[in-house]
Amino acid sequence: MNKTLATGLAITMLFLVACFFGEYAAPYDLSENVPPHYVGEPGHRTLVAPPFPPSASHPFGTDKYGTDMAAKLLDGAKYTIIASLSVAFFRLFAGGALGLLLGYYGAGRISRTGRTPIWTMLNGIPIFIVVWMIMTGISMDPSATPLEMTLILSAVLALVGIPAVASTVKAKTTVLREEPFILSARSVGAGRRRIIRTHLLPHLQESLLILFVQEIVLILGLFGQLAIFNLFVGGTLVYKDLLYPEYASRTNEWSGLIGQSRGNLYIYRWVLFFPLLAYIAYILGLHMIALGIEKRYARKVAKFSQL
């Protein structure tokens, strides 16, 4: 039994369930805020104000507005999970198709001018810088809805990631097209489309699946990097009427909750800790899926000595 794969799938499925059905299980509504109140015996009462630490009524505590942290995490799960899955799928679909065609039809052609392929040069540009330059001017107090801003960011992340996926798939296809079974199929008259459909794609299946999972993890990392610079999925609310500008996520997306709460590292730690824990657990589940698929594939192609 592949325990690594099973564990990773169990963790990821738990988050998927929370993504689609979490709002129905949320202990409180986002509009319910715990106000400041007095505690203690009469004559010795103390005024307490949010954020409140974890308790029986609020297992994850509350933020500084008195909003339940568990409710915020369940509300933002759909943005974190669906956005990362969607961007990774589009990258793999577009980049994989492009890389497959370039690898099969273009392999073996040596550039006479010695120029570096355009996709190789694009891979050298840090994706985070490109995305930050595009989004920084439109993410702060945007007029678009959170869904529209999420779609814009997802489209940018998908487009800038296509060259890297295409380059990876092209390299794998270039190696496969020179394998004996491909050459044999070509020698008996199999067409290019048939070779791609019946030979290349089945042999790339495991690699594409692993690449898909790795792309999700990469996108989550980009979400986190952008959140450090206050660029949150769905847009950023900016409060300028304070001593220092304050930034808040419009969608409660997990990386946004981490980014806006990073100042609570030494005080009110639960406001930062629980979103960070959910974020790491989701990435860990995906990483275990990738490792499990690699183990499964290694056992599948392992060669044993025969008498």
Side-chain angles (χ1 to χ4, degrees):
M1 179 180 178
N2 194 330
K3 295 182 179 179
T4 304
L5 180 58
T7 303
L9 287 173
I11 295 174
T12 305
M13 287 302 299
L14 178 64
F15 282 109
L16 288 174
V17 171
C19 167
F20 291 104
F21 304 104
E23 60 180 336
Y24 303 106
Y28 299 93
D29 191 82
L30 291 176
S31 61
E32 298 181 53
N33 299 324
V34 183
H37 58 275
Y38 288 95
V39 297
E41 299 295 331
H44 299 85
R45 298 171 69 83
T46 303
L47 178 65
V48 293
F52 296 108
S55 62
S57 57
H58 299 275
F60 290 1
T62 72
D63 64 6
K64 67 179 182 179
Y65 301 107
T67 307
D68 184 72
M69 287 300 301
K72 295 185 71 171
L73 285 172
L74 291 173
D75 179 65
K78 56 182 175 290
Y79 288 95
T80 301
I81 295 174
I82 295 178
S84 60
L85 290 174
S86 301
V87 175
F89 177 80
F90 185 83
R91 279 186 175 187
L92 187 68
F93 180 81
L98 180 61
L100 184 65
L101 295 176
L102 290 173
Y104 184 73
Y105 291 102
R109 296 180 183 176
I110 301 175
S111 175
R112 297 179 179 178
T113 60
R115 295 177 181 175
T116 303
I118 183 64
W119 57 83
T120 303
M121 293 189 294
L122 291 175
N123 289 340
I125 303 175
I127 292 179
F128 164 72
I129 295 178
V130 177
V131 177
W132 178 82
M133 292 177 64
I134 296 173
M135 297 300 300
T136 187
I138 61 177
S139 290
M140 302 297 177
D141 284 330
S143 58
T145 65
L147 178 58
E148 291 172 343
M149 290 303 304
T150 302
L151 292 176
I152 293 173
L153 177 61
S154 299
V156 172
L157 287 172
L159 291 174
V160 299
I162 288 176
V165 175
S167 179
T168 301
V169 176
K170 176 182 179 296
K172 294 180 180 296
T173 305
T174 302
V175 174
L176 276 177
R177 76 184 296 271
E178 301 301 329
E179 292 292 327
F181 66 92
I182 299 292
L183 299 177
S184 298
R186 192 182 305 148
S187 66
V188 297
R192 292 179 175 180
R193 293 183 180 180
R194 181 176 179 83
I195 290 175
I196 292 175
R197 184 176 65 254
T198 61
H199 295 289
L200 286 178
L201 284 178
H203 283 81
L204 285 171
Q205 182 178 356
E206 299 280 352
S207 298
L208 292 176
L209 188 56
I210 294 173
L211 184 59
F212 174 65
V213 178
Q214 291 174 341
E215 283 296 311
I216 300 175
V217 175
L218 177 61
I219 292 158
L220 290 170
L222 288 172
F223 284 171
Q225 293 175 29
L226 292 171
I228 294 176
F229 290 87
N230 302 311
L231 295 180
F232 306 140
V233 178
T236 304
L237 294 175
V238 184
Y239 300 99
K240 300 178 181 179
D241 55 342
L242 304 173
L243 182 60
Y244 297 101
E246 185 175 320
Y247 304 92
S249 172
R250 302 169 74 199
T251 60
N252 293 320
E253 191 273 327
W254 293 349
S255 64
L257 292 178
I258 295 170
Q260 72 182 33
S261 304
R262 62 185 185 274
N264 295 313
L265 181 60
Y266 301 105
I267 186 173
Y268 310 132
R269 294 182 178 89
W270 62 88
V271 180
L272 172 66
F273 174 74
F274 287 110
L276 183 60
L277 180 63
Y279 203 68
I280 292 175
Y282 180 45
I283 293 176
L284 178 62
L286 294 169
H287 182 63
M288 294 182 71
I289 289 177
L291 290 178
I293 296 174
E294 289 178 354
K295 289 182 180 180
R296 179 178 177 273
Y297 182 67
R299 288 198 300 264
K300 183 178 178 181
V301 302
K303 296 181 180 180
F304 301 92
S305 300
Q306 303 290 333
L307 293 177

